Amino acid sequence: MNAPSIQFAQVLTVLVAAPGVSGVIARVESRLQGRRGTRVLQPYYDLGKLFRKEALAPHGASWVFLAAPLGAMACYLTVPLLIPVLTTFPLPLGYMGDILGGGFILSLASFAVAVAAAETGAPYAQLGASRAKTFSAITEPVVLFVVFTVALVTGTDLPYALAETVRSSAEQIVRPAHLLAAAALFLVILAETGRIPVETHTGTNEFGMIEEARPFEHSGPYFAMLRWGSAMKQLILFVILINVFIAPWGLASSAGVGAVALAIAALLGKCVVLGVVIAVIDNSFAKLRLFKITEFVAAAFLLAVLAVFTLYFGGG
């Protein structure tokens, strides 16, 4: 396989596998709660049903309302070009942006969805958009500290170079600063994917909703793209944590078809394991109240700050 085709395979893997990973997590959660639950492939059926439905827009909504799902999907499809999804070697667009740039692209997608929700005038959608932006102002500094810490440890903030540094020696993984930064990023992923501290990723009409409230006014294909994009965001965060921070193994070191196929299988296996761990955590703790989110994210921020202090003062 040539480099462009592998790069296309990275994007296609994230695009196709994202709903399946969400289906596995939902199935595990159902079993942990003593329910039969839905099929693993249910997210694909839901997306197919939504794409066949009619798309409606609230009265008075501008073109931004309909453009936001397309813009968000474009952002989610761009990030896999920058991170090591399948290969250990950088692809043609792999050095187009660093890990901080990938975070900005994910934030842009969230901003587009929030703007579309805010202009509908619907109370639930506006409430979800307001809460999402309020709490993202707390989580984004944590991500910045994580990136800076790992950049100080490894000497670079390029995702492929970060993964290569971690993969070079087991000592890189067990360094205190690296472990603290990875733990902080894991807490951010729990909050960003709606697992902890408030509500679940399949929330209902409750005042504690955040992520699920924003697309309330979308329907048909546009709602399908938002649901699909949310699953892609979850998988992208999983890939960053696994293939850059804690387990950058199983990636293809050559451009052979067999090596790429094994890399896809390894990625899906690692993401499913991480999803099961998150599902167990999600069902092992009671949900926190809304105002407790700041305390939860503050713990992640403290871990990131401790990582920097450990690096400079503790030989981390």
Side-chain angles (χ1 to χ4, degrees), residues 36-189:
R36 181 178 179 181
T38 59
R39 296 169 290 183
V40 172
L41 300 180
Q42 188 61 43
Y44 296 102
Y45 295 114
D46 293 340
L47 290 175
K49 180 176 64 176
L50 289 173
F51 274 114
R52 292 192 299 269
K53 287 188 174 183
E54 180 183 5
L56 301 175
H59 178 71
S62 68
W63 61 270
V64 176
F65 177 80
L66 299 179
L70 298 173
M73 281 294 291
C75 292
Y76 295 134
L77 292 174
T78 302
V79 177
L81 301 174
L82 310 177
I83 59 177
V85 179
L86 300 177
T87 64
T88 58
F89 53 90
L91 298 171
L93 299 178
Y95 286 148
M96 184 173 60
D98 56 12
I99 194 170
L100 193 58
F104 286 153
I105 295 174
L106 292 177
S107 298
L108 178 61
S110 178
F111 175 76
V113 177
V115 170
E119 77 156 17
T120 61
Y124 271 117
Q126 289 183 329
L127 192 63
S130 175
R131 287 174 172 174
K133 293 297 98 184
T134 300
F135 297 126
S136 66
I138 308 173
T139 58
E140 287 173 1
V142 180
V143 177
L144 289 175
F145 256 94
V146 170
V147 172
F148 291 154
T149 303
V150 178
L152 290 171
V153 172
T154 61
T156 179
D157 60 350
L158 294 172
Y160 282 96
L162 289 173
E164 183 179 358
T165 303
V166 174
R167 194 168 50 249
S168 64
S169 172
E171 295 179 357
Q172 296 291 338
I173 299 179
V174 298
R175 296 178 75 172
H178 184 83
L179 291 176
L180 290 169
L185 180 60
F186 181 71
L187 293 181
V188 170
I189 291 176

Side-chain angles (χ1 to χ4, degrees), residues 214-225:
R214 295 190 296 174
F216 257 18
E217 296 301 309
H218 287 86
S219 60
Y222 297 100
F223 183 50
M225 283 188 286

Side-chain angles (χ1 to χ4, degrees), residues 224-242:
M225 283 188 286
L226 290 177
R227 293 282 297 273
W228 203 345
S230 179
M232 289 178 62
K233 175 185 176 182
Q234 175 181 257
L235 183 56
I236 289 171
L237 292 174
F238 283 8
V239 171
I240 293 174
L241 179 64
I242 293 173

